[in-house]
Amino acid sequence: MMKQHQKAALASTSGQTKPTSGGVAKVRSPIRDRKWDGRSTFSVEEAGCEILGLSKVSAYAAANRGDIPTIRIGRRLLVPRLALEKLLGE
């Protein structure tokens, strides 16, 4: 299972702000990036590496432990978008 401080760290990435020349802009959560629009599932690599910032080995280890929610379809291991958003607190 994911430890509480790890969940807090993941959740804290959503809603971060960064200074801009015109004030403070809200940073998009990685899962809200336009390249993921229209996707209802992600591969473990996409969810773990690109969205959560984990290495490939860490992403698969987290998926196998159940820290990253997955569904299996045949040989494919997929991460549902809604479950990932819930994990991130979005």
Coordinates of all heavy atoms in Angstrom, one line a residue:
M1 N 0.8 -1.2 0.0 CA 0.0 0.0 0.0 C 0.9 1.3 0.0 O 2.0 1.2 0.5 CB -0.9 0.0 1.2 CG -2.0 -1.0 1.3 SD -3.2 -0.8 0.0 CE -4.1 0.6 0.6
M2 N 0.3 2.3 -0.5 CA 1.0 3.6 -0.5 C 1.0 4.2 0.9 O -0.1 4.2 1.5 CB 0.4 4.5 -1.6 CG 1.2 5.7 -1.8 SD 0.6 6.7 -3.2 CE 1.2 5.8 -4.5
K3 N 2.1 4.7 1.3 CA 2.1 5.3 2.6 C 1.4 6.7 2.6 O 1.3 7.3 1.5 CB 3.6 5.5 3.1 CG 4.2 4.1 3.3 CD 5.6 4.3 3.9 CE 6.1 2.9 4.3 NZ 7.3 2.5 3.7
Q4 N 1.0 7.2 3.7 CA 0.2 8.4 3.8 C 1.0 9.6 3.3 O 0.5 10.4 2.5 CB -0.2 8.7 5.3 CG -1.2 9.8 5.4 CD -2.5 9.5 4.7 OE1 -2.9 8.4 4.6 NE2 -3.1 10.5 4.2
H5 N 2.3 9.7 3.6 CA 3.1 10.8 3.1 C 3.3 10.7 1.6 O 3.4 11.8 0.9 CB 4.4 10.9 3.8 CG 5.4 9.8 3.5 ND1 5.4 8.6 4.0 CD2 6.5 9.9 2.6 CE1 6.4 7.9 3.5 NE2 7.0 8.6 2.7
Q6 N 3.3 9.5 1.0 CA 3.4 9.4 -0.4 C 2.1 9.9 -1.1 O 2.1 10.5 -2.1 CB 3.7 8.0 -0.8 CG 5.1 7.5 -0.4 CD 5.3 6.0 -0.6 OE1 4.4 5.2 -0.3 NE2 6.4 5.6 -1.1
K7 N 1.0 9.5 -0.5 CA -0.3 10.0 -1.0 C -0.4 11.5 -1.0 O -0.9 12.1 -1.9 CB -1.5 9.3 -0.3 CG -1.7 7.9 -0.6 CD -2.9 7.4 0.1 CE -3.1 5.9 -0.1 NZ -4.2 5.3 0.6
A8 N 0.1 12.0 0.2 CA 0.0 13.5 0.3 C 0.9 14.2 -0.7 O 0.5 15.2 -1.3 CB 0.4 13.9 1.7
A9 N 2.1 13.6 -1.0 CA 3.0 14.2 -2.0 C 2.3 14.1 -3.4 O 2.4 15.1 -4.1 CB 4.3 13.4 -1.9
L10 N 1.7 13.0 -3.7 CA 1.0 12.9 -5.0 C -0.1 13.9 -5.1 O -0.3 14.6 -6.1 CB 0.5 11.5 -5.2 CG 1.6 10.4 -5.5 CD1 0.9 9.1 -5.6 CD2 2.4 10.7 -6.7
A11 N -0.9 14.0 -4.0 CA -2.1 14.9 -4.0 C -1.7 16.3 -4.1 O -2.3 17.2 -4.6 CB -3.0 14.6 -2.8
S12 N -0.5 16.6 -3.5 CA -0.1 18.0 -3.4 C 0.3 18.6 -4.8 O 0.4 19.8 -5.0 CB 1.1 18.2 -2.4 OG 2.2 17.6 -2.9
T13 N 0.6 17.7 -5.8 CA 1.0 18.1 -7.1 C -0.2 18.8 -7.8 O 0.0 19.6 -8.7 CB 1.6 17.0 -8.0 OG1 0.6 16.0 -8.1 CG2 2.8 16.5 -7.3
S14 N -1.4 18.4 -7.5 CA -2.6 19.0 -8.1 C -2.9 20.3 -7.4 O -2.9 20.4 -6.2 CB -3.8 18.1 -8.0 OG -4.2 17.8 -6.7
G15 N -3.1 21.3 -8.2 CA -3.5 22.6 -7.6 C -2.3 23.4 -7.1 O -2.4 24.4 -6.5
Q16 N -1.1 23.0 -7.5 CA 0.1 23.9 -7.2 C 0.0 25.1 -8.0 O -0.6 25.2 -9.1 CB 1.4 23.1 -7.6 CG 1.8 22.0 -6.6 CD 3.1 21.4 -7.0 OE1 3.6 21.7 -8.1 NE2 3.6 20.6 -6.1
T17 N 0.7 26.2 -7.5 CA 0.8 27.4 -8.2 C 2.2 27.7 -8.5 O 3.1 27.3 -7.8 CB 0.1 28.6 -7.4 OG1 0.8 28.7 -6.2 CG2 -1.4 28.3 -7.2
K18 N 2.4 28.5 -9.5 CA 3.8 29.0 -9.8 C 3.7 30.4 -10.2 O 2.8 30.9 -10.8 CB 4.5 28.1 -10.9 CG 4.0 28.3 -12.3 CD 4.8 27.5 -13.2 CE 4.3 27.7 -14.6 NZ 5.0 27.0 -15.6
P19 N 4.7 31.2 -9.8 CA 4.7 32.6 -10.1 C 4.9 32.9 -11.6 O 5.6 32.1 -12.3 CB 5.9 33.2 -9.3 CG 6.7 32.0 -9.0 CD 5.9 30.8 -9.0
T20 N 4.2 33.9 -12.1 CA 4.4 34.3 -13.5 C 4.6 35.8 -13.5 O 4.5 36.5 -12.4 CB 3.2 34.0 -14.4 OG1 2.1 34.7 -13.9 CG2 2.9 32.5 -14.4
S21 N 4.9 36.4 -14.6 CA 5.1 37.8 -14.7 C 3.8 38.6 -14.3 O 3.9 39.7 -13.8 CB 5.6 38.2 -16.1 OG 4.7 37.9 -17.0
G22 N 2.7 38.0 -14.6 CA 1.4 38.7 -14.3 C 0.8 38.3 -13.0 O -0.4 38.6 -12.8
G23 N 1.5 37.5 -12.2 CA 0.9 37.1 -10.9 C 1.1 35.6 -10.7 O 2.2 35.1 -11.1
V24 N 0.2 34.9 -10.1 CA 0.3 33.5 -9.8 C -0.6 32.7 -10.7 O -1.8 33.0 -10.8 CB 0.0 33.2 -8.4 CG1 0.1 31.7 -8.1 CG2 1.0 34.0 -7.5
A25 N -0.1 31.7 -11.5 CA -0.9 30.9 -12.3 C -1.0 29.5 -11.7 O -0.1 29.0 -11.1 CB -0.2 30.8 -13.7
K26 N -2.2 28.9 -11.9 CA -2.4 27.6 -11.4 C -1.7 26.6 -12.4 O -1.9 26.7 -13.6 CB -3.9 27.3 -11.3 CG -4.2 26.1 -10.5 CD -5.6 26.2 -10.0 CE -5.9 24.9 -9.3 NZ -6.2 25.0 -7.9
V27 N -1.0 25.6 -11.9 CA -0.3 24.6 -12.7 C -1.3 23.5 -12.9 O -1.9 23.0 -12.0 CB 1.0 24.1 -12.0 CG1 1.6 23.0 -12.8 CG2 2.0 25.2 -11.7
R28 N -1.4 23.1 -14.2 CA -2.2 21.9 -14.5 C -1.7 20.7 -13.9 O -0.5 20.4 -14.0 CB -2.3 21.7 -16.0 CG -3.2 22.7 -16.7 CD -3.3 22.4 -18.1 NE -4.2 21.3 -18.3 CZ -5.2 21.3 -19.1 NH1 -5.4 22.3 -20.0 NH2 -6.1 20.3 -19.2
S29 N -2.5 19.9 -13.3 CA -2.1 18.5 -12.8 C -1.7 17.7 -14.1 O -2.3 17.9 -15.1 CB -3.3 17.9 -12.2 OG -3.1 16.5 -11.9
P30 N -0.7 16.9 -13.9 CA -0.3 16.1 -15.1 C -1.4 15.3 -15.8 O -1.4 15.1 -17.0 CB 0.8 15.1 -14.5 CG 1.2 15.7 -13.3 CD 0.1 16.5 -12.8
I31 N -2.4 14.8 -15.0 CA -3.5 14.1 -15.6 C -4.5 15.0 -16.3 O -5.2 14.5 -17.2 CB -4.2 13.2 -14.5 CG1 -5.0 12.1 -15.1 CG2 -5.1 14.1 -13.7 CD1 -5.5 11.1 -14.1
R32 N -4.4 16.3 -16.1 CA -5.3 17.2 -16.8 C -4.6 17.8 -18.0 O -5.2 18.6 -18.7 CB -5.6 18.4 -15.9 CG -6.3 18.0 -14.6 CD -7.8 17.8 -14.9 NE -8.5 17.5 -13.6 CZ -9.5 16.7 -13.6 NH1 -9.9 16.1 -14.6 NH2 -10.0 16.4 -12.4
D33 N -3.4 17.3 -18.4 CA -2.7 17.7 -19.6 C -3.6 17.4 -20.8 O -4.2 16.3 -20.9 CB -1.4 17.1 -19.6 CG -0.5 17.7 -20.7 OD1 -0.9 17.7 -21.8 OD2 0.6 18.2 -20.3
R34 N -3.5 18.3 -21.8 CA -4.4 18.0 -23.0 C -4.0 16.8 -23.7 O -4.9 16.2 -24.4 CB -4.2 19.2 -23.9 CG -4.9 20.4 -23.5 CD -5.1 21.3 -24.7 NE -6.4 22.0 -24.4 CZ -6.6 23.2 -24.8 NH1 -5.7 23.8 -25.6 NH2 -7.7 23.8 -24.5
K35 N -2.8 16.3 -23.6 CA -2.5 15.1 -24.3 C -3.2 13.8 -23.8 O -3.3 12.8 -24.5 CB -0.9 14.8 -24.3 CG -0.4 14.2 -23.1 CD 1.1 14.0 -23.4 CE 1.7 13.0 -22.5 NZ 3.2 12.8 -22.7
W36 N -3.8 13.9 -22.6 CA -4.5 12.8 -22.0 C -6.0 13.0 -22.3 O -6.8 12.1 -21.9 CB -4.3 12.7 -20.5 CG -2.8 12.5 -20.2 CD1 -2.1 13.4 -19.4 CD2 -1.9 11.5 -20.7 NE1 -0.8 12.9 -19.3 CE2 -0.7 11.8 -20.1 CE3 -2.0 10.5 -21.5 CZ2 0.5 11.0 -20.3 CZ3 -0.9 9.7 -21.7 CH2 0.3 10.0 -21.1
D37 N -6.5 14.1 -22.9 CA -7.9 14.3 -23.1 C -8.5 13.1 -23.9 O -7.9 12.6 -24.8 CB -8.2 15.6 -23.9 CG -8.0 16.8 -23.0 OD1 -7.8 16.7 -21.8 OD2 -8.1 17.9 -23.6
G38 N -9.7 12.7 -23.5 CA -10.4 11.6 -24.2 C -10.0 10.2 -23.8 O -10.5 9.2 -24.3
R39 N -9.0 10.1 -22.9 CA -8.5 8.8 -22.5 C -9.2 8.3 -21.2 O -9.3 9.0 -20.2 CB -7.0 8.8 -22.2 CG -6.1 9.3 -23.3 CD -5.8 8.2 -24.3 NE -5.2 7.0 -23.7 CZ -3.9 6.9 -23.6 NH1 -3.1 7.8 -24.0 NH2 -3.4 5.8 -23.0
S40 N -9.7 7.1 -21.2 CA -10.3 6.6 -20.0 C -9.4 5.6 -19.3 O -9.7 5.3 -18.1 CB -11.7 5.9 -20.4 OG -11.5 4.9 -21.3
T41 N -8.4 5.1 -19.9 CA -7.4 4.3 -19.3 C -6.0 4.7 -19.7 O -5.8 5.3 -20.8 CB -7.6 2.8 -19.6 OG1 -7.4 2.6 -21.0 CG2 -8.9 2.3 -19.1
F42 N -5.0 4.3 -18.9 CA -3.6 4.6 -19.2 C -2.8 3.3 -19.1 O -3.2 2.4 -18.3 CB -3.0 5.6 -18.3 CG -3.7 6.9 -18.2 CD1 -4.6 7.2 -17.2 CD2 -3.6 7.8 -19.3 CE1 -5.3 8.4 -17.1 CE2 -4.3 9.0 -19.2 CZ -5.1 9.3 -18.1
S43 N -1.7 3.2 -19.7 CA -0.8 2.1 -19.5 C -0.1 2.3 -18.1 O -0.2 3.5 -17.6 CB 0.2 1.9 -20.6 OG 1.2 3.0 -20.5
V44 N 0.4 1.3 -17.5 CA 1.1 1.5 -16.3 C 2.3 2.5 -16.5 O 2.5 3.3 -15.6 CB 1.6 0.1 -15.7 CG1 2.5 0.4 -14.5 CG2 0.4 -0.7 -15.3
E45 N 3.0 2.4 -17.6 CA 4.1 3.3 -17.9 C 3.6 4.7 -18.0 O 4.2 5.6 -17.4 CB 4.8 2.9 -19.2 CG 5.7 1.7 -19.0 CD 6.5 1.4 -20.2 OE1 7.1 2.4 -20.7 OE2 6.5 0.3 -20.7
E46 N 2.5 5.0 -18.7 CA 2.0 6.3 -18.8 C 1.6 6.9 -17.4 O 1.9 8.0 -17.1 CB 0.7 6.4 -19.7 CG 1.1 6.1 -21.2 CD -0.2 5.9 -22.0 OE1 -1.2 5.5 -21.5 OE2 0.0 6.1 -23.2
A47 N 0.8 6.1 -16.7 CA 0.3 6.6 -15.4 C 1.5 6.8 -14.4 O 1.6 7.8 -13.7 CB -0.7 5.6 -14.8
G48 N 2.3 5.8 -14.3 CA 3.4 5.8 -13.3 C 4.5 6.7 -13.7 O 5.0 7.6 -12.9
C49 N 5.0 6.7 -14.9 CA 6.2 7.4 -15.3 C 5.8 8.9 -15.7 O 6.4 9.8 -15.2 CB 6.9 6.8 -16.5 SG 7.4 5.1 -16.2
E50 N 4.9 9.0 -16.6 CA 4.6 10.4 -17.1 C 3.7 11.2 -16.2 O 3.8 12.4 -16.1 CB 3.9 10.2 -18.5 CG 4.9 9.6 -19.5 CD 4.3 9.5 -20.9 OE1 3.7 10.5 -21.4 OE2 4.6 8.5 -21.6
I51 N 2.7 10.6 -15.6 CA 1.8 11.3 -14.7 C 2.3 11.4 -13.3 O 2.3 12.5 -12.7 CB 0.4 10.7 -14.8 CG1 -0.2 10.9 -16.2 CG2 -0.6 11.4 -13.8 CD1 -1.5 10.2 -16.5
L52 N 2.8 10.3 -12.7 CA 3.2 10.3 -11.3 C 4.7 10.6 -11.1 O 5.1 10.8 -10.0 CB 2.8 9.0 -10.7 CG 1.3 8.6 -10.6 CD1 1.1 7.2 -10.1 CD2 0.6 9.7 -9.8
G53 N 5.4 10.5 -12.2 CA 6.9 10.8 -12.1 C 7.7 9.7 -11.6 O 8.8 9.9 -11.0
L54 N 7.3 8.4 -11.7 CA 8.0 7.3 -11.2 C 8.8 6.7 -12.3 O 8.6 6.9 -13.5 CB 7.0 6.2 -10.7 CG 6.1 6.6 -9.6 CD1 5.0 5.5 -9.4 CD2 6.8 6.9 -8.3
S55 N 9.8 5.9 -11.9 CA 10.6 5.1 -12.9 C 9.7 4.0 -13.4 O 8.7 3.6 -12.8 CB 11.9 4.5 -12.3 OG 11.6 3.5 -11.4
K56 N 10.1 3.3 -14.5 CA 9.3 2.2 -15.1 C 9.2 1.1 -14.1 O 8.1 0.5 -13.8 CB 9.9 1.8 -16.4 CG 9.2 0.7 -17.1 CD 9.9 0.4 -18.4 CE 9.2 -0.8 -19.1 NZ 9.9 -1.1 -20.4
V57 N 10.3 0.7 -13.4 CA 10.4 -0.4 -12.5 C 9.5 0.0 -11.3 O 8.7 -0.9 -10.8 CB 11.8 -0.7 -12.0 CG1 11.8 -1.6 -10.9 CG2 12.6 -1.2 -13.2
S58 N 9.6 1.2 -10.8 CA 8.8 1.6 -9.6 C 7.3 1.6 -10.0 O 6.4 1.3 -9.1 CB 9.2 3.0 -9.1 OG 10.5 3.0 -8.6
A59 N 6.9 2.0 -11.2 CA 5.5 2.1 -11.6 C 4.9 0.7 -11.6 O 3.8 0.5 -11.1 CB 5.4 2.7 -13.0
Y60 N 5.6 -0.3 -12.2 CA 5.1 -1.7 -12.2 C 5.1 -2.3 -10.8 O 4.2 -3.0 -10.5 CB 5.9 -2.5 -13.2 CG 5.5 -2.3 -14.6 CD1 6.1 -1.5 -15.5 CD2 4.3 -3.0 -15.1 CE1 5.7 -1.3 -16.8 CE2 3.8 -2.8 -16.4 CZ 4.5 -1.9 -17.2 OH 4.1 -1.8 -18.5
A61 N 6.1 -2.0 -10.0 CA 6.1 -2.5 -8.6 C 4.9 -1.9 -7.8 O 4.2 -2.7 -7.1 CB 7.4 -2.1 -7.9
A62 N 4.6 -0.6 -8.0 CA 3.5 0.0 -7.3 C 2.2 -0.6 -7.8 O 1.3 -0.9 -7.0 CB 3.5 1.5 -7.5
A63 N 2.1 -0.9 -9.1 CA 0.9 -1.5 -9.7 C 0.7 -2.9 -9.1 O -0.4 -3.3 -8.8 CB 0.9 -1.5 -11.2
N64 N 1.8 -3.7 -9.0 CA 1.7 -5.0 -8.5 C 1.3 -5.1 -7.0 O 0.7 -6.0 -6.6 CB 3.0 -5.8 -8.8 CG 3.2 -6.2 -10.2 OD1 2.2 -6.4 -10.9 ND2 4.4 -6.2 -10.7
R65 N 1.8 -4.0 -6.3 CA 1.4 -4.0 -4.9 C 0.0 -3.5 -4.6 O -0.5 -3.6 -3.6 CB 2.4 -3.0 -4.1 CG 3.7 -3.5 -3.8 CD 4.5 -2.6 -2.9 NE 4.4 -1.2 -3.2 CZ 5.3 -0.5 -4.0 NH1 6.4 -1.2 -4.4 NH2 5.2 0.7 -4.3
G66 N -0.6 -2.8 -5.7 CA -1.9 -2.3 -5.5 C -1.9 -0.8 -5.2 O -2.9 -0.2 -5.0
D67 N -0.7 -0.2 -5.2 CA -0.6 1.3 -4.9 C -1.2 2.1 -6.0 O -1.7 3.2 -5.9 CB 0.8 1.7 -4.6 CG 1.3 1.1 -3.3 OD1 0.5 0.7 -2.4 OD2 2.5 1.0 -3.1
I68 N -1.0 1.6 -7.3 CA -1.6 2.2 -8.4 C -2.7 1.3 -8.8 O -2.5 0.1 -9.1 CB -0.6 2.3 -9.6 CG1 0.5 3.3 -9.2 CG2 -1.3 2.8 -10.9 CD1 1.6 3.4 -10.3
P69 N -4.0 1.8 -8.9 CA -5.1 0.9 -9.2 C -5.0 0.5 -10.7 O -4.8 1.3 -11.6 CB -6.3 1.9 -9.0 CG -5.8 3.2 -9.1 CD -4.4 3.2 -8.7
T70 N -5.3 -0.8 -10.9 CA -5.2 -1.4 -12.2 C -6.3 -2.4 -12.5 O -6.9 -2.9 -11.6 CB -3.8 -2.2 -12.4 OG1 -3.8 -3.2 -11.5 CG2 -2.6 -1.3 -12.3
I71 N -6.6 -2.6 -13.8 CA -7.4 -3.6 -14.2 C -6.7 -4.4 -15.3 O -5.8 -3.9 -16.0 CB -8.8 -3.1 -14.8 CG1 -8.5 -2.1 -16.0 CG2 -9.6 -2.4 -13.8 CD1 -9.7 -1.7 -16.7
R72 N -6.9 -5.7 -15.4 CA -6.3 -6.5 -16.3 C -7.3 -6.9 -17.4 O -8.3 -7.4 -17.1 CB -5.7 -7.8 -15.7 CG -4.9 -8.7 -16.6 CD -4.2 -9.8 -16.0 NE -3.1 -9.3 -15.1 CZ -1.9 -9.0 -15.5 NH1 -1.6 -9.0 -16.8 NH2 -1.0 -8.6 -14.6
I73 N -6.9 -6.7 -18.7 CA -7.7 -7.1 -19.8 C -6.7 -8.0 -20.6 O -5.8 -7.5 -21.3 CB -8.2 -5.9 -20.6 CG1 -9.1 -5.1 -19.7 CG2 -8.9 -6.4 -21.9 CD1 -9.7 -3.9 -20.4
G74 N -7.0 -9.3 -20.6 CA -6.0 -10.2 -21.3 C -4.7 -10.1 -20.6 O -4.6 -10.3 -19.4
R75 N -3.7 -9.8 -21.4 CA -2.3 -9.7 -20.8 C -2.0 -8.2 -20.5 O -1.0 -7.9 -19.9 CB -1.3 -10.2 -21.8 CG -1.4 -11.7 -22.1 CD -0.4 -12.1 -23.0 NE 1.0 -11.9 -22.5 CZ 2.1 -12.0 -23.2 NH1 2.0 -12.4 -24.5 NH2 3.3 -11.7 -22.7
R76 N -2.9 -7.3 -20.9 CA -2.6 -5.9 -20.6 C -3.0 -5.5 -19.2 O -4.1 -5.9 -18.7 CB -3.4 -5.0 -21.6 CG -2.9 -5.2 -23.0 CD -3.5 -4.2 -24.0 NE -2.9 -2.9 -23.6 CZ -3.4 -1.8 -24.1 NH1 -4.5 -1.8 -24.9 NH2 -2.9 -0.6 -23.7
L77 N -2.2 -4.6 -18.6 CA -2.5 -4.1 -17.3 C -2.7 -2.6 -17.5 O -1.9 -1.9 -18.0 CB -1.3 -4.3 -16.4 CG -1.5 -4.1 -14.9 CD1 -2.5 -5.0 -14.4 CD2 -0.1 -4.4 -14.2
L78 N -4.0 -2.1 -17.2 CA -4.4 -0.8 -17.5 C -4.7 0.0 -16.2 O -5.2 -0.7 -15.2 CB -5.6 -0.7 -18.4 CG -5.3 -1.3 -19.8 CD1 -6.6 -1.4 -20.6 CD2 -4.3 -0.5 -20.6
V79 N -4.6 1.3 -16.2 CA -4.9 2.1 -15.0 C -6.1 3.0 -15.4 O -6.0 3.8 -16.3 CB -3.7 3.0 -14.7 CG1 -4.1 3.9 -13.5 CG2 -2.5 2.2 -14.4
P80 N -7.3 2.7 -14.8 CA -8.4 3.6 -15.1 C -8.2 5.0 -14.7 O -7.7 5.3 -13.6 CB -9.6 2.9 -14.3 CG -9.1 1.6 -13.9 CD -7.6 1.7 -13.8
R81 N -8.7 5.9 -15.6 CA -8.5 7.4 -15.3 C -9.2 7.8 -14.0 O -8.6 8.5 -13.2 CB -9.0 8.2 -16.5 CG -8.8 9.7 -16.3 CD -9.5 10.4 -17.4 NE -9.0 11.8 -17.3 CZ -8.2 12.4 -18.2 NH1 -7.9 11.7 -19.3 NH2 -7.8 13.6 -18.1
L82 N -10.4 7.3 -13.8 CA -11.2 7.8 -12.6 C -10.5 7.3 -11.4 O -10.5 8.0 -10.4 CB -12.6 7.3 -12.7 CG -13.5 7.9 -13.8 CD1 -14.9 7.2 -13.8 CD2 -13.6 9.4 -13.6
A83 N -10.0 6.1 -11.3 CA -9.3 5.6 -10.2 C -8.0 6.4 -9.9 O -7.7 6.6 -8.7 CB -9.0 4.1 -10.3
L84 N -7.3 6.7 -11.0 CA -6.1 7.5 -10.8 C -6.4 8.9 -10.3 O -5.7 9.5 -9.4 CB -5.3 7.6 -12.1 CG -3.9 8.2 -12.1 CD1 -3.0 7.4 -11.1 CD2 -3.3 8.2 -13.5
E85 N -7.5 9.5 -10.8 CA -7.9 10.8 -10.3 C -8.3 10.8 -8.9 O -8.0 11.7 -8.1 CB -9.1 11.4 -11.2 CG -8.6 11.8 -12.6 CD -9.8 12.2 -13.4 OE1 -11.0 12.0 -13.1 OE2 -9.5 12.9 -14.5
K86 N -9.0 9.7 -8.5 CA -9.4 9.5 -7.1 C -8.1 9.4 -6.2 O -8.1 10.0 -5.1 CB -10.3 8.3 -6.9 CG -10.8 8.1 -5.6 CD -11.8 6.9 -5.5 CE -12.3 6.7 -4.1 NZ -13.1 5.6 -4.0
L87 N -7.1 8.6 -6.7 CA -5.9 8.5 -5.9 C -5.2 9.8 -5.7 O -4.7 10.1 -4.6 CB -5.0 7.5 -6.7 CG -3.6 7.4 -6.1 CD1 -3.6 6.5 -4.8 CD2 -2.6 6.7 -7.1
L88 N -5.3 10.7 -6.7 CA -4.6 12.0 -6.7 C -5.5 13.0 -6.0 O -5.0 14.2 -5.8 CB -4.2 12.4 -8.1 CG -3.2 11.6 -8.8 CD1 -3.0 12.1 -10.2 CD2 -1.9 11.7 -8.0
G89 N -6.7 12.7 -5.7 CA -7.6 13.6 -5.0 C -8.1 14.7 -5.9 O -8.4 15.8 -5.5
E90 N -8.4 14.4 -7.1 CA -8.9 15.4 -8.1 C -10.3 15.2 -8.3 O -10.9 14.1 -8.4 CB -8.1 15.3 -9.4 CG -6.7 15.6 -9.2 CD -5.9 15.7 -10.5 OE1 -6.5 15.6 -11.6 OE2 -4.7 15.8 -10.4

